[in-house]
Amino acid sequence: MNEALTRQITELFGVTRSDQELISSFFKPMKLDKNEYLVKAGQACHYLTFIQSGLLRLYVTVETKEVTQWIGTPGYFLTDLSAFLFRVPARWNIQALTDAELLSISFDDYRSLVRFLPRWHEIEKGFIAKCFIQLENRVFQHLHMSAEERYLHLLSHQPELFNQVPLQYLASMLGMTPETLSRLRKKSLG
């Protein structure tokens, strides 16, 4: 069993050790090659994915511009949540920026957990609430923090991204132009 997966399940789902082991058993290994898509906008999203290794980018194309919403890193879950849960076409593209090893649960297996865990709906509600809180925190950062503060926050929490991810993706995720990000980087290094 993957220790990072079970730790995240415990943290996000708030379950006992036996429930955590049961939930973990539904996650199956999956690999994506660099540039391969887990899902494309407009398609069905079949998986809730835990990233074991590699980087995934969640983005949308608006007119001719790509807008990066998030870079998924090892130890975290990633999906187009509304497409996964409500079976609507995905709004987001999820693409591997590097070769990636994933553990994924299919929608059918996710829904079948209620047969094995009678309190699954309560557990799922807590998980979705935590996802919503993470989204609220990101919105708050964009509204409350300056571009420089957002850059410094990302640099202090995930410095490795600056060596692994094209800067235009990071700039988009931070809500700034690549030129602004370059200026902030130069300022912090100089």
Side-chain angles (χ1 to χ4, degrees):
M1 188 177 322
N2 183 288
E3 188 62 35
L5 174 64
T6 56
R7 187 173 45 254
Q8 279 294 88
I9 287 173
T10 301
E11 184 177 312
L12 287 175
F13 289 86
V15 295
T16 66
R17 178 99 176 142
S18 62
D19 288 350
Q20 162 225 87
E21 290 174 1
L22 175 67
I23 294 167
S24 295
S25 72
F26 281 84
F27 282 79
K28 307 298 180 223
M30 175 186 270
K31 289 186 179 191
L32 287 179
D33 293 327
K34 181 178 180 176
N35 297 321
E36 190 176 353
Y37 286 85
L38 179 67
V39 65
K40 289 185 177 182
Q43 295 179 342
C45 181
H46 300 290
Y47 300 101
L48 171 63
T49 298
F50 179 79
I51 305 168
Q52 289 191 99
S53 67
L55 300 170
L56 301 179
R57 179 171 74 122
L58 187 89
Y59 76 95
V60 66
T61 303
V62 180
E63 295 173 15
T64 59
K65 181 180 175 183
E66 290 182 356
V67 178
T68 300
Q69 196 253 18
W70 193 248
I71 304 293
T73 57
Y76 292 94
F77 288 99
L78 192 63
T79 192
D80 181 318
L81 195 58
S82 62
F84 180 73
L85 292 176
F86 299 113
R87 313 314 300 151
V88 297
R91 290 181 290 178
W92 302 98
N93 298 291
I94 302 176
Q95 182 184 30
L97 293 178
T98 62
D99 290 345
E101 292 184 11
L102 315 170
L103 291 169
S104 299
I105 185 170
S106 70
F107 176 78
D108 292 337
D109 283 345
Y110 181 86
R111 282 291 174 222
S112 74
L113 281 168
V114 73
R115 291 194 324 250
F116 304 97
L117 289 169
R119 58 185 209 96
W120 173 245
H121 292 298
E122 176 188 330
I123 293 167
E124 179 186 39
K125 186 175 165 182
F127 168 67
I128 293 169
K130 288 178 182 176
C131 292
F132 186 75
I133 290 166
Q134 286 179 344
L135 181 59
E136 278 186 327
N137 288 340
R138 286 213 3 111
V139 169
F140 180 77
Q141 285 176 351
H142 275 348
L143 295 175
H144 177 71
M145 298 170 105
S146 68
E148 184 172 11
E149 289 169 328
R150 290 191 307 271
Y151 161 72
L152 292 172
H153 182 267
L154 183 63
L155 184 62
S156 68
H157 288 86
Q158 293 182 293
E160 70 282 356
L161 290 182
F162 289 90
N163 296 322
Q164 299 173 332
V165 175
L167 291 182
Q168 73 263 20
Y169 298 162
L170 294 177
S172 177
M173 185 176 84
L174 291 168
M176 61 183 73
T177 65
E179 295 79 18
T180 299
L181 179 57
S182 291
R183 183 175 39 79
L184 292 171
R185 287 191 67 184
K186 185 181 278 188
K187 180 181 172 183
S188 73
L189 296 174

